[in-house]
Amino acid sequence: MKPLAASPSLDTRFVTVILLVMGLSTPGLAEITSLDSGNIDDVLNNAGVALVNFYADWCRFSQMLHPIFEEASNVVREEFPDTKQVVFARVDCDQHSDIAQRYRITKYPTLKLFRNGMMMKREYRGQRSVVAIADFIRQQQVDPVKEMHSMEEVNTLDRSKRNIIGYFDKKDSDNYHTYEKVANILRDDCTFLAAFGAVSAAERFSGDNVIYKPVGEGIPDMVYLGSLTNFDLTYAWAQDKCVPLVREITFENGEELTEEGIPFLILFHIKEDTDSLEKFQHEVARQLISEKGSINFLHADCDKFRHPLLHIQKTPADCPVIAIDSFRHMYVFPDFKDLAVPGKLRQFVLDLHSGKLHREFHHGPDPTDSTPGQEETGGEVASSPPESSFQKLAPSETRYTILRRDRDEL
């Protein structure tokens, strides 16, 4: 009998398997587009869906993902051969740090989903396997708009969700194409429905029409009054309805909210204390609507998020508490009772943007001519600095650490 190692065919098969496992042999069609500052906008803007792998060559996990990502591309390309319908792309973040900074990439590898050039809030966090990635792309190809075949369906809507309904003469129209594009982008935030032709005739007395049905019974519908062929206007209106001004931060969405890259203004409140939440929502809408996009307005359950409270020297017994998390430090709003004082909450946020909160965190209150506690003596100012308008705190932990630790202790 010949020694096992002397079998060339077995050796060949063994080597082939190893190469496949290691990704050194890549059969199929793998079409991974390498993005740089010269082509990224053109590629992404012309892709219905693009999954982009932001990687670093030195990262072991990036290296492990490469063959999986390529094989997933092969599988998806066979099902969706249109090269503009689905694009798999990659960015070498060491070579193109400007792109990594543009999309706030802080860890490798990161898989981001884009639709028509717009980056979706939710990155891909599923299993790093060919099957899981291919399934994720298949889900993105599902029509986000449910067609209604009878107006009676409006009466059976789930009113615990945000619903947007479009009434159109026909599917093959510029109005509906804009609506469908908006629905694709906001599919995770709203339920989108549409009715066509004779079914929608009663609602189209002045032409194609789109309405928003807010959460809850007995709340009036809101009608979109802009041009349905103007994507920017339609998207801005729908986003305003689908994404609440004040969102709840949970263990499930905490990392996702952090990755949006803007500071948090958080109300910590007891879950049953809806009165404080309503007051906070009202004052945010009244004082801070112009700051939307520069800071995230959030509310959190005091009992679930005890560690962030301890981090700012508070406990659930102190709630409601308002704080800013800048990702470097946390700053406490002096007194919840001052929430309704005109301009007080807005000034708190403006002091973050101006750097005043950070300066005072390290150096005490900014000196002013009218700082309380100062007395004039012989033309000079002898100061006895008062307590800062916010409480001095230790630097904040990362959101990941806080969320993971609190979740594990529940």
Side-chain angles (χ1 to χ4, degrees):
M1 178 180 294
K2 292 183 179 180
L4 187 61
S7 171
S9 59
L10 183 59
D11 282 350
T12 301
R13 290 197 301 271
F14 179 75
V15 171
T16 301
V17 169
I18 292 297
L19 289 175
L20 285 171
V21 170
M22 295 179 63
L24 299 178
S25 174
T26 311
L29 306 172
E31 297 176 9
I32 312 297
T33 304
S34 294
L35 301 178
D36 55 41
S37 56
N39 70 354
I40 186 167
D41 290 328
D42 183 60
V43 171
L44 296 183
N45 289 342
N46 287 288
V49 168
L51 187 63
V52 181
N53 175 16
F54 293 88
Y55 71 94
D57 273 333
W58 51 261
C59 169
R60 180 168 64 90
F61 297 104
S62 291
Q63 296 166 10
M64 293 169 62
L65 180 60
H66 283 318
I68 295 171
F69 195 67
E70 290 184 353
E71 185 57 31
S73 171
N74 290 340
V75 172
V76 170
R77 179 64 63 234
E78 289 181 4
E79 296 183 38
F80 305 101
D82 184 346
T83 56
K84 288 190 177 181
Q85 185 178 4
V86 179
V87 169
F88 275 67
R90 59 190 168 201
V91 175
D92 183 335
C93 293
D94 282 338
Q95 296 293 322
H96 305 288
S97 57
D98 56 327
I99 297 178
Q101 185 175 6
R102 172 180 173 182
Y103 294 111
R104 304 189 183 103
I105 305 302
T106 58
K107 61 185 188 300
Y108 311 111
T110 292
L111 296 180
K112 289 282 190 180
L113 183 72
F114 292 76
R115 288 186 176 277
N116 303 109
M118 186 175 294
M119 185 178 72
M120 300 296 95
K121 293 182 300 182
R122 295 168 176 82
E123 71 179 54
Y124 174 77
R125 293 193 181 87
Q127 290 184 347
R128 302 295 172 87
S129 71
V130 172
V131 171
I133 293 174
D135 282 344
F136 174 72
I137 294 298
R138 291 188 194 101
Q139 293 167 12
Q140 303 308 309
Q141 297 303 310
V142 174
D143 192 340
V145 183
K146 177 187 175 184
E147 182 174 350
M148 297 191 304
H149 300 285
S150 165
M151 290 304 296
E152 292 299 317
E153 295 180 40
V154 174
N155 300 323
T156 61
L157 291 179
D158 183 351
R159 295 306 296 269
S160 68
K161 297 180 179 178
R162 295 174 174 81
N163 294 281
I164 292 184
I165 307 176
Y167 300 103
F168 301 95
D169 180 27
K170 54 186 178 180
K171 266 191 177 183
D172 187 15
S173 65
D174 291 340
N175 285 351
Y176 180 69
H177 293 327
T178 299
Y179 181 77
E180 190 176 35
K181 186 176 177 181
V182 169
N184 261 313
I185 295 171
L186 295 172
R187 61 167 63 207
D188 294 326
D189 301 297
C190 263
T191 298
F192 287 85
L193 305 99
F196 304 94
V199 176
S200 66
E203 295 290 334
R204 291 188 290 104
F205 47 86
S206 59
D208 289 352
N209 188 27
V210 172
I211 65 167
Y212 167 66
K213 286 187 172 294
V215 173
E217 300 290 344
I219 303 176
D221 297 343
M222 300 180 187
V223 181
Y224 174 59
L225 300 176
S227 166
L228 277 169
T229 58
N230 187 315
F231 168 78
D232 291 335
L233 287 178
T234 309
Y235 172 73
W237 178 85
Q239 183 190 43
D240 181 64
K241 303 299 179 285
C242 294
V243 182
L245 184 60
V246 178
R247 294 178 281 178
E248 182 178 9
I249 184 170
T250 65
F251 297 131
E252 291 72 27
N253 70 0
E255 185 175 350
E256 172 187 305
L257 288 170
T258 301
E259 286 167 354
E260 292 183 17
I262 56 178
F264 296 164
L265 176 68
I266 311 176
L267 167 69
F268 294 95
H269 67 107
I270 301 299
K271 185 176 182 180
E272 293 73 23
D273 181 13
T274 56
D275 183 57
S276 293
L277 176 57
E278 288 177 4
K279 289 178 180 177
F280 181 69
Q281 290 171 326
H282 176 75
E283 292 304 324
V284 166
R286 187 167 72 96
Q287 299 187 42
L288 294 170
I289 192 67
S290 63
E291 296 301 315
K292 183 179 180 181
S294 67
I295 191 165
N296 265 326
F297 309 117
L298 308 170
H299 68 100
D301 184 331
C302 276
D303 286 321
K304 288 184 178 180
F305 290 93
R306 288 172 176 266
H307 274 104
L309 280 174
L310 289 174
H311 196 68
I312 57 175
Q313 302 172 23
K314 301 288 184 181
T315 71
D318 297 309
C319 289
V321 172
I322 297 173
I324 284 176
D325 188 342
S326 71
F327 303 165
R328 298 176 67 187
H329 304 292
M330 292 184 73
Y331 313 102
V332 178
F333 186 68
D335 193 336
F336 182 81
K337 295 176 183 177
D338 292 338
L339 179 63
V341 174
K344 190 84 171 182
L345 187 64
R346 176 174 172 77
Q347 190 59 52
F348 183 54
V349 172
L350 293 180
D351 286 347
L352 169 74
H353 295 328
S354 70
K356 184 175 187 291
L357 293 184
H358 186 74
R359 289 195 305 274
E360 291 192 344
F361 181 93
H362 290 287
H363 307 296
D366 281 354
T368 64
D369 293 336
S370 59
T371 302
Q374 291 184 344
E375 297 179 359
E376 292 187 6
T377 55
E380 295 181 356
V381 176
S383 66
S384 176
E387 289 293 318
S388 172
S389 60
F390 61 90
Q391 193 173 358
K392 280 195 172 184
L393 308 167
S396 67
E397 301 176 61
T398 66
R399 307 290 70 68
Y400 310 124
T401 303
I402 290 174
L403 291 168
R404 184 168 58 250
R405 187 171 62 189
D406 281 16
R407 180 180 57 211
D408 294 343
E409 292 191 2
L410 280 181

